[in-house]
Amino acid sequence: MTGETKKFKKAVQKIGTHNGMFHCDEVLAVSMLKMLPECHEAEVVRSRDEAVLRECDIVVDVGAVYNPELHRYDHHQKSFSESMRSLTAGAKPWVTRLSSAGLIFHHFGRDVLDTQLGPAASEHREVVFDRLYQTFMEEIDAVDNGVNQHDGTPRYQVNSTIGARVSRLNPAWNDTQPDEAACFERARRLVTAEFTDAVQRIWTVWYPARRLVEQAVIGRHQVDPSGLIMELPKGGVPWKDHLFVLEQEQQPPCQVMFVLFTDQQGQWRVQAVPPFTGSFDMRVPLKASWRGLRGEQLSKEAGIDDGVFVHASGFIGGATSHRSVLQMARQSLQEAGKL
């Protein structure tokens, strides 16, 4: 790994960043540092004066220097092009150019997670680290570096992101007596709450689902000999992200086409697996002749006794029994030539 982190030898007295208008990346960088025991009591010094910054123990987002040995973490200099992938010699997949938040997360994020989750989570820390970067940190890096989320003209504005909310906490242009320090502190409290909430949700909600999905992938041949259908012990499990990763970890890699589970009322559902997270496409949809049908009409068409519905797009359907949704999945696979 390049850019190894130099640990603090003593308590940090001063964290430096720039003054003037603040952005989400340096606010979050400072927030993460303040979560560390060595930095918890540190003063936040906001200045662009190099003489002032030299007196700081660590400097983020200002100074045009990236040097972990000196604890300087700026990303604005022309020579800077680091990403998670480059700083880990290809061990991480993300190629988005890092902001000051991403740099601090790369160098100190695991220590921050230790403070948030405790020693019990140490065995699983890297999975949480990766998920947090993918779902929380990368957005902040990309926005700060002006990376568009998509090509073309957006159809609508999005003004509720964490970055937008931090921006609104800056002093107003027509405030005649702005208190920059108080505004920055409000922003720091906001991003601290958002960050810690994201960590806790990953650890307490997202990660526990991984084991359930892993067991379902391993046991899929017991559901159907084809191995193309898996069954979850209950509905509501966030299975998609886990499934795509776990499929590639199997030897050999596999692909699941349908997932069976129960809803809150105990009725069975059969859902088609998309090709990737966020896609509305399906690897194999439910049969075309069933789409939009309900109740007796669906039951007759599908040759089952207890059909409930099939969505018009064919991505999900339901019946009251496990036997029927399994049959619906198998018939759809047969129509697609997969069985």
Side-chain angles (χ1 to χ4, degrees):
M1 183 184 297
T2 59
E4 288 291 342
T5 306
K6 179 183 177 183
K7 298 297 184 181
F8 298 115
K9 295 181 179 179
K10 58 181 181 179
V12 172
Q13 301 298 314
K14 295 180 179 180
I15 300 171
T17 190
H18 63 81
N19 59 352
M21 185 174 185
F22 51 77
H23 306 93
C24 190
D25 72 312
E26 80 267 18
V27 176
L28 180 55
V30 170
S31 296
M32 287 188 286
L33 289 172
K34 293 277 282 182
M35 294 176 195
L36 299 173
E38 304 93 326
C39 303
H40 187 66
E41 301 299 327
E43 174 189 359
V44 178
V45 177
R46 301 184 68 237
S47 175
R48 295 183 186 274
D49 186 332
E50 184 58 34
V52 173
L53 295 174
R54 280 198 297 269
E55 297 298 317
C56 295
D57 301 283
I58 184 169
V59 177
V60 300
D61 208 45
V62 67
V65 175
Y66 169 51
N67 187 333
E69 286 294 315
L70 300 177
H71 284 313
R72 300 293 293 259
Y73 300 96
D74 196 12
H75 67 111
H76 293 100
Q77 57 273 26
K78 187 176 181 179
S79 60
F80 185 89
S81 61
E82 302 290 3
S83 65
M84 275 290 179
R85 183 172 182 176
S86 69
L87 288 183
T88 60
K92 303 296 184 187
W94 301 287
V95 297
T96 299
R97 187 173 181 265
L98 296 175
S99 67
S100 63
L103 283 173
I104 294 301
F105 188 70
H106 166 69
H107 287 285
F108 300 98
R110 294 168 183 84
D111 295 329
V112 171
L113 289 176
D114 285 344
T115 69
Q116 296 290 302
L117 301 177
S122 60
E123 181 182 351
H124 315 284
R125 185 179 60 184
E126 202 64 20
V127 175
V128 178
F129 179 93
D130 288 350
R131 178 66 177 176
L132 189 60
Y133 186 78
Q134 180 184 23
T135 61
F136 188 84
M137 298 297 307
E138 188 176 21
E139 172 192 335
I140 293 165
D141 286 340
V143 170
D144 194 76
N145 284 299
V147 179
N148 287 324
Q149 189 179 10
H150 50 76
D151 297 324
T153 303
R155 291 190 176 92
Y156 53 88
Q157 292 186 0
V158 177
N159 296 307
S160 59
T161 64
I162 184 173
R165 284 178 282 141
V166 166
S167 181
R168 287 196 291 269
L169 291 175
N170 276 280
W173 69 271
N174 54 354
D175 187 343
T176 58
Q177 294 182 314
D179 187 342
E180 282 193 13
C183 291
F184 187 89
E185 180 59 22
R186 286 180 62 198
R188 192 184 71 81
R189 290 198 300 267
L190 169 67
V191 298
T192 298
E194 292 274 349
F195 180 88
T196 55
D197 182 69
V199 171
Q200 290 300 321
R201 185 164 182 82
I202 288 170
W203 180 240
T204 63
V205 178
W206 181 84
Y207 191 75
R210 182 181 177 87
R211 183 58 180 163
L212 295 178
V213 179
E214 183 179 27
Q215 291 171 338
V217 171
I218 293 172
R220 67 192 188 279
H221 289 95
Q222 298 175 15
V223 178
D224 188 81
S226 69
L228 299 175
I229 306 168
M230 79 175 196
E231 181 181 323
L232 293 171
K234 59 182 178 180
V237 176
W239 54 266
K240 293 179 184 177
D241 291 331
H242 293 301
L243 175 61
F244 300 132
V245 172
L246 291 167
E247 284 178 331
Q248 297 308 306
E249 292 180 358
Q250 302 305 300
Q251 296 298 329
C254 68
Q255 277 198 335
V256 173
M257 302 299 170
F258 288 103
V259 179
L260 310 183
F261 54 89
T262 55
D263 65 11
Q264 292 181 335
Q265 285 72 46
Q267 292 190 336
W268 281 92
R269 297 287 182 261
V270 50
Q271 185 168 345
V273 176
F276 53 86
T277 301
S279 173
F280 291 108
D281 293 330
M282 293 153 276
R283 289 173 175 172
V284 174
L286 291 168
K287 285 184 66 172
S289 61
W290 302 342
R291 297 173 199 171
L293 301 184
R294 304 185 70 86
E296 291 184 8
Q297 191 176 8
L298 171 62
S299 297
K300 181 178 180 180
E301 184 67 29
I304 58 179
D305 299 326
D306 54 352
V308 176
F309 78 101
V310 170
H311 192 275
S313 68
F315 93 96
I316 193 170
T320 59
S321 69
H322 175 273
R323 174 175 49 82
S324 291
V325 291
L326 178 59
Q327 187 175 335
M328 291 167 71
R330 287 185 55 80
Q331 288 187 52
S332 300
L333 289 169
Q334 290 169 349
E335 182 178 68
K338 301 293 183 180
L339 286 183

